[in-house]
């Protein structure tokens, strides 16, 4: 349970009290993890009195792709998904950093091959940036491999895929690291559990390409564009070897939950001088500024939560 329990959740068509958002123990999502989800963030802009959801359209696109790959029966449409996200934020009157989870899953009493009935839930919790955003963290390569695309569709945000991430996190913690780095079945760097990875070497930014069994991360796409288009930096998307990480001048993770989190060591070897890198700080500042609207550019990446309902804003 989140540290401060929100009052409301969205569940199957409308807002309900938090504790009433439940599925049955016999549902396929409980028995087999038959569900997909999106993690999104809301960024509060105090000057404007506005909460912005970051790249909502892209998250809904990815969820739609997931529904197709999972072969679920037709479920909630895009308009309802968008309504669920905005209404759960409005119902809870969020005026601060929010982490939103939009889940589509199989209810009923079906077996492993079930395709319906399809349910949908949306929750939002208060989640401020971690202290690793400023300080960076120590990452370690773990022995668990990221499953390959021929085993499970790893570019779908399927609940079942997250068991792999769970093992990676546990191993990293056991070994005293702040975060895990997973290699793929070919032994190349894939990503972290819940985040993509970037390194900087001689002024060039390098990140594993999307055919390395990674999730097609929306933050990764944002970071690549900010680097290339806004900061004029060369970004290479290609295979990355483990030992190449040891040669990095800078490195960072990125993802909705992890935002842009610097990596200061890998396998206890310092990244560069062991401090947060200069380019990492620049892309981080650009990312946060665009996400909360304090930088006006890329307005299409921000969906205002209250702008569309001025009455709500007046009651805040
Ligand atoms: N990889 C995995 C396995 C993830 O779960 C996430 C979080 N969605 C990411 C990468 C980062 O993706 P995004 O930037 O779209 O949040």
């Amino acid at each position: 349970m989140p540290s401060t329990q929100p009052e409301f959740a969205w569940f199957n068509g409308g807002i309900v009290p938090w504790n009433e958002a439940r599925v049955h123990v016999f549902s396929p999502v409980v028995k087999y993890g038959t569900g997909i989800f999106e993690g999104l963030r809301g960024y509060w802009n105090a000057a404007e009195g506005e909460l912005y959801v970051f790249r909502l359209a892209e998250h809904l696109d990815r969820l739609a792709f997931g529904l197709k790959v999972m072969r679920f029966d037709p479920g909630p449409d895009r308009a309802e998904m968008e309504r669920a996200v905005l209404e759960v934020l409005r119902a809870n009157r969020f005026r601060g950093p929010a982490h939103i989870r939009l889940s589509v899953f199989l209810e009923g009493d079906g077996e492993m091959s079930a395709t319906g009935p399809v349910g949908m839930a949306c929750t939002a919790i208060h989640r401020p940036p971690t202290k690793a955003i400023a300080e960076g963290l120590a990452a370690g390569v773990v022995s668990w491999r990221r499953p390959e695309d021929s085993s499970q569709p790893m570019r779908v945000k399927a609940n079942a895929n997250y068991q792999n991430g769970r093992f990676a996190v546990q191993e990293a913690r056991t070994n005293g690291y702040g975060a895990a780095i997973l290699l793929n079945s070919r032994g190349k760097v894939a990503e972290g559990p819940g985040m993509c990875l970037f390194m900087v070497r001689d002024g060039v930014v390098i990140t594993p390409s999307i055919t390395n069994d990674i999730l097609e991360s929306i933050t990764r796409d944002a970071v690549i564009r900010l680097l290339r288009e806004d900061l004029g930096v060369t970004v290479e998307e290609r295979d990355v070897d483990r030992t190449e990480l040891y040669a990095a001048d800078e490195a960072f993770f990125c993802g909705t939950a992890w935002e842009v989190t610097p990596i200061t060591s890998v396998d206890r070897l310092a990244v560069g001088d062991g401090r947060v890198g200069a380019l990492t700080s620049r892309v981080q500042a650009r990312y946060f500024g665009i996400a909360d609207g304090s930088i006006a550019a890329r307005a299409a990446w921000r969906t205002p939560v209250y702008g569309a309902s001025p009455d709500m804003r007046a009651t805040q």
Side-chain angles (χ1 to χ4, degrees):
M1 200 200 315
S3 53
T4 315
Q5 184 180 304
E7 222 177 324
F8 300 109
W10 171 285
F11 191 72
N12 284 345
I15 294 291
V16 299
W18 178 267
N19 287 329
E20 287 176 22
R22 295 165 187 269
V23 293
H24 198 277
V25 290
F26 205 67
S27 59
V29 66
V30 175
K31 288 187 294 196
Y32 308 112
T34 320
I36 59 174
F37 68 99
E38 282 299 316
L40 305 92
R41 261 191 196 268
Y43 287 89
W44 177 244
N45 184 314
E48 295 176 20
E50 184 57 277
L51 184 68
Y52 288 112
V53 178
F54 188 65
R55 305 198 76 181
L56 176 58
E58 290 83 351
H59 282 282
L60 297 184
D61 287 346
R62 189 169 61 190
L63 199 61
F65 169 70
L67 284 169
K68 173 179 162 181
V69 176
M70 297 293 279
R71 299 169 193 268
F72 283 1
D73 295 345
D77 62 16
R78 192 183 173 96
E80 183 160 9
M81 291 175 184
E82 184 167 336
R83 206 151 54 86
V85 171
L86 298 178
E87 287 192 7
V88 85
L89 292 165
R90 290 177 190 150
N92 289 292
R93 299 181 184 281
F94 266 96
R95 289 167 62 86
H99 187 268
I100 305 144
R101 180 175 293 259
L102 181 61
S103 306
V104 181
F105 45 82
L106 295 195
E107 296 191 275
D109 55 8
E111 286 307 319
M112 209 154 58
S113 60
T115 56
V118 179
M120 183 173 81
C122 189
T123 54
I125 60 168
H126 177 76
R127 197 194 273 190
T130 61
K131 79 176 188 339
I133 291 285
E135 296 171 7
L137 46 72
V141 175
V142 295
S143 60
W144 296 101
R145 298 285 173 101
R146 175 96 174 148
E148 54 187 321
D149 187 70
S150 56
S151 300
Q152 262 179 219
M154 300 312 286
R155 52 167 59 70
V156 171
K157 261 185 88 71
N159 296 51
N161 292 350
Y162 285 79
Q163 297 313 306
N164 171 250
R166 179 170 179 272
F167 284 112
V169 169
Q170 285 175 334
E171 182 177 328
R173 281 196 192 141
T174 300
N175 293 334
Y177 294 114
I181 296 172
L182 288 141
L183 307 181
N184 62 21
S185 59
R186 294 185 295 115
K188 303 296 177 186
V189 175
E191 59 179 12
M195 61 282 207
C196 285
L197 185 145
F198 285 75
M199 59 173 273
V200 185
R201 190 177 184 188
D202 299 329
V204 173
V205 175
I206 303 158
T207 192
S209 63
I210 56 169
T211 48
N212 273 288
D213 306 307
I214 66 171
L215 186 77
E216 292 188 3
S217 151
I218 291 162
T219 319
R220 173 185 179 280
D221 173 76
V223 164
I224 290 173
R225 288 184 199 214
L226 297 181
L227 286 163
R228 283 185 182 149
E229 298 165 17
D230 297 11
L231 303 180
V233 174
T234 301
V235 181
E236 292 179 4
E237 300 175 64
R238 60 165 173 80
D239 285 0
V240 175
D241 289 330
R242 178 178 188 166
T243 55
E244 213 176 351
L245 296 176
Y246 304 156
D249 305 315
E250 301 183 29
F252 59 90
F253 288 121
C254 80
T256 298
W258 290 73
E259 302 176 304
V260 177
T261 299
I263 301 171
T264 49
S265 68
V266 175
D267 296 341
R268 300 208 164 80
L269 297 171
V271 174
D273 63 6
R275 285 181 298 196
V276 174
L279 185 55
T280 304
S281 296
R282 281 175 67 209
V283 74
Q284 204 182 46
R286 186 92 193 148
Y287 175 81
F288 282 119
I290 284 173
D292 72 13
S294 54
I295 296 174
R298 299 186 185 272
W301 287 5
R302 295 183 294 276
T303 300
V305 172
Y306 298 118
S309 63
D311 293 350
M312 278 296 308
R313 188 151 52 164
T315 61
Q316 294 304 298

